[in-house]
Structure formats: C-alpha cells, structure tokens
Amino acid sequence: MTITPPALSVFEALESEVRSYCRSWPAVFDRAQGSRMYDEDGHTYLDFFAGAGALNYGHNNPVLKRALIDYIERDGVTHGLDMGTTAKRAFLEAFQDVVLRPRDLPYKVMFPGPTGTNAVEAALKLARKVKGREAIVSFTNAFHGMSLGSLAVTGNAFKRAGAGIPLVHGTPMPFDHYLDDRVPDFLWFERLLADQGSGLNTPAAVIVETVQGEGGINVARPEWLRGLAALCERHDMLLIVDDIQMGCGRTGAFFSFEEAGITPDIVTLSKSIGGYGLPMSLTLFRPELDVWEPGEHNGTFRGNNPSFVTAAAALDAYWTDGQMEKQTLARGEQAEEALRAVCAEHPELGAHYRGRGLVWGLEFADKTRASAVARRAFELGLLVETSGPEGEVLKLLPALTISPEELDEGLRILARAVRETA
C-alpha cells in the first residue's frame, strides 16, 4: 500500500506543537470499526494501538454503540456531576455484581474525573490524608500521568521536565528486574525504611503498575508483587496499583493484580473502563479509607453519564461468563509465538520480547530500530506505537476483541516491517 501524506495545513497552522501521535501516523482518519481505522483517502489500517488502551472492545463496538444511541435518543442525562442518575446506578450495580463481588473485593467507588491522572491524583491525595504523611514511593520507569502529582511519581525525565517546577515528595525505587536480578528484591527499599539516617520520610503509600506500559512493557513477577504487598503491610504503607492501562482485562483477568493474589488498598482505573473510549476514571479503595469530607475532592466532569451507559454495557457483554479472560490469554499466546519467531529470524538484531495477555513489547539492541519498524508498519497499514524512556520498545496493544485472523494479519505485517528495516 502506498500512502501519500495529506496536507495537514489546518493542523499545522492552528494546533499546538504538543501534538504527537499524528506525527507518527500522518493521515487524517475518518471512521473506524472494530480493529480497523480508515483515513479520508480510503486507506485501511489495522489498529494495534487501541486508543492507548482506551479501546479494549474495539472501535464503535456495536453492542456498546446501541446502548449509547438508545440512551441519547431518550434524552438520558449527559452531565450530572455527582448527582444520582439511573445511568450511574446501573453502572454501580453492574460493577458490584460483575467485578467486585465475584472477586471478593470490598472497594468503595469514587468518580474523580474523566482521565487517568485524575484517578491517580485522588489516590495520592487520599493516601496522604489517611496516613498524615507526604512521601510517596514509586518505581523506575513508572508512568502515572501528566498533572503535577502524577508527574512526581513518574520516571520519564522528558515528561517530568515539562512540569517546570520541582516535583517533590516522591521517591523512586527499582522496579522488578531493574538491577538485572543481581540484588535481592527490595533490599535498598527495606534498608532505607529501617535506617533513621537514610533521609527517606516514612511514606504514606507506594504506587506501582504491574506491567509498565509507557515505561517499556516491563512485567513484574507475581512473587515480586506479593513481596511488595507484604513490605507495605509491615511498614504501614498503603499499596496503590495503577491499573489505568493494564486493567479491564488487558493482561487477562479484569484486574492485572489478580494473578499475584494481592488486594491493593487503592486501585486506579480509566481508559477502557468507559467501554467505548468515552472519558471515565475510578479510584477504588478499602471502605476504612473513605475519610473524605463531602466535596473535599470534586470535578465538573466526574459524572459522565454516557460513559456509565457504555461501561455497564461492556461489563454485561464481556465479563459475566469468564470467556473474555480465556480469549485474551489465547490471543496472547498467539502474539507471543509470532514475536518469538521474529526474534529467531533476526538474531543479529539482538531483539527480545516480553508481555502478558494482549500487551507485548519488542525491544531491539539498537534503540532507534523500534521507531523505524513502527514507521514501516504504518506504511504497510498497521498502527503500532513505541514506548520506553527512549522509545526503544515496539508496543503491541490490540483490542481484546480482535479476531485471530486480524491478529495474525497484524503480526505478519509487523514481521515484514522488521524484515524490511533490518
């Protein structure tokens, strides 16, 4: 497929230089359905990006679209702040019945605002209020959002620099495998906590991603996560799991921490919790942590009722029978097999892969190669992004609803892109 970059004059003239994805994919997209996007010139693209994880159920999922259209056509409430609405009630009932009760999770549900960083800010603020301490521990290569509190617990130097002010009260610790397994887990963390001269104030909480998406698809072992949970309990620190990108089934189970058998004190969700790509985020926490005063934390768009509608429809359609988890794990095995073949075909590239469920990363010895492969993949009709502190990891994030045939098609395009840039 030959693609001629469109004239982007209005975007270049009026839109800020901060735009990024459009630079990697110079097309003007017009419509999308399932795992495919179509530009205004009629080119078709297989989507291995899925709205950065906000489209786990694909573009314009027909089941969710029908629920949304029906709600809009009957003049259902669109904007409700934190007022009670029938749409919110239906979502909360579905979330309790389909997600929380079957997993014996006692969480209270907070709607902090439309985006993931809203959920993280609320989680940090709540942890500090509960514990009466300021310090938060995060991990190397973490990404938790672009607002100031979230940036303070984010590792990427480029993103942190954009704050323009000191990012305080956050302390990074080594993520799993960061020291190449040469040091026992949490040795440095434990030593700092025990030593009165370490300079580390007792943290209110620890925030962690079970799989670091933006950080390079770094996968924490279940035993490492269990060790972290035990460490938090021993030292009276709250454990926050950021499941914004890896939750809602991305790794297989609905929550990414289920495999480790832990129960975090606080969990953040966003991206695909809205089902349809509509803005929505949740901060979940143990009932005893619900110390908020009414109105102490709020936001104008914390009650996005159309998102409640599609979120409830997604839970009903995909999470009542256990099939979604099985399907995701099967698709994950399909992706892993293809990536293994790519690495075997090109030993000279020093490539290796890692992931869980339907999130996978392919890293090359040459840190510039991932971007080159992504560019060639776009030319061949595949949307795939890069991640990692230097964009050195090719990141595969297809919709969970992708068919085996579509997944195979995309993986073959990827293999071709690697071959043609080798």
Side-chain angles (χ1 to χ4, degrees), residues 327 330-331 334 401-412:
Q327 175 177 300
R331 301 285 192 275
Q334 184 180 348
T401 52
I402 193 168
S403 70
E405 295 77 18
E406 289 171 324
L407 182 58
D408 181 66
E409 178 186 346
L411 291 167
R412 283 189 282 107

Side-chain angles (χ1 to χ4, degrees), residues 6-19 22-23 25-29 40:
L8 300 176
S9 57
V10 68
F11 303 111
E12 293 167 349
L14 294 181
E15 195 175 0
S16 166
E17 291 298 317
V18 78
R19 64 194 189 278
C22 60
R23 300 179 190 276
W25 303 323
V28 177
F29 295 100
E40 63 181 354

Side-chain angles (χ1 to χ4, degrees), residues 94-115:
F95 193 69
Q96 183 178 52
D97 293 343
V98 176
V99 176
L100 297 181
R101 278 180 179 158
R103 293 162 179 81
D104 197 26
L105 295 172
Y107 296 135
K108 297 292 288 291
V109 179
M110 176 182 178
F111 300 100
T115 73

Side-chain angles (χ1 to χ4, degrees), residues 128-357:
R128 287 170 168 138
K129 179 177 173 67
V130 168
K131 292 299 182 183
R133 308 177 204 140
E134 297 177 351
I136 303 289
V137 164
S138 58
F139 291 93
T140 50
N141 290 315
F143 179 79
H144 296 290
M146 297 296 279
S147 52
L148 293 181
S150 300
L151 277 178
V153 291
T154 286
N156 186 284
F158 173 74
K159 292 181 172 63
R160 288 175 61 89
I165 62 171
L167 296 171
V168 297
H169 309 306
T171 302
M173 292 291 166
F175 191 72
D176 195 15
H177 304 302
Y178 185 76
L179 299 173
D180 298 325
D181 303 323
R182 293 172 295 177
V183 177
D185 294 343
F186 311 114
L187 178 65
W188 175 240
F189 196 175
E190 290 268 23
R191 181 66 182 270
L192 291 180
L193 290 169
D195 185 358
Q196 295 298 307
S198 70
L200 176 65
N201 296 329
T202 303
V206 175
I207 185 167
V208 67
E209 303 154 275
T210 66
V211 180
Q212 294 181 327
E214 298 304 309
I217 318 302
N218 305 312
V219 182
R221 294 166 296 144
E223 56 266 33
W224 187 86
L225 292 168
R226 288 192 289 268
L228 178 61
L231 184 150
C232 288
E233 186 172 2
R234 287 197 305 273
H235 292 278
D236 188 33
M237 302 179 295
L238 297 178
L239 177 60
I240 305 170
V241 167
D242 181 339
D243 236 3
I244 287 166
Q245 189 167 83
M246 298 304 156
C248 301
R250 176 54 58 181
T251 66
F254 187 86
F255 293 108
S256 70
F257 56 81
E258 292 183 53
E259 181 189 21
I262 62 173
T263 302
D265 300 293
I266 304 175
V267 179
T268 61
L269 286 176
S270 187
K271 293 193 181 284
S272 279
I273 187 60
Y276 199 71
L278 298 176
M280 179 175 172
S281 69
L282 308 178
T283 304
L284 314 176
F285 40 83
R286 295 181 185 273
E288 60 269 25
L289 304 181
D290 194 8
V291 298
W292 294 114
E293 296 291 334
E296 188 176 6
H297 188 90
N298 57 32
T300 303
F301 295 100
R302 64 193 184 277
N304 188 354
N305 283 258
S307 296
F308 296 152
V309 171
T310 52
L315 294 178
D316 181 65
Y318 294 104
W319 291 101
T320 56
D321 60 4
Q323 291 305 305
M324 176 59 76
E325 179 175 353
K326 294 177 182 177
Q327 175 177 300
T328 298
L329 294 175
R331 301 285 192 275
E333 291 175 359
Q334 184 180 348
E336 183 177 13
E337 182 179 349
L339 293 177
R340 184 185 302 116
V342 168
C343 292
E345 182 182 350
H346 302 283
E348 75 282 1
L349 298 181
H352 62 276
Y353 61 90
R354 52 187 179 263
R356 277 177 58 194

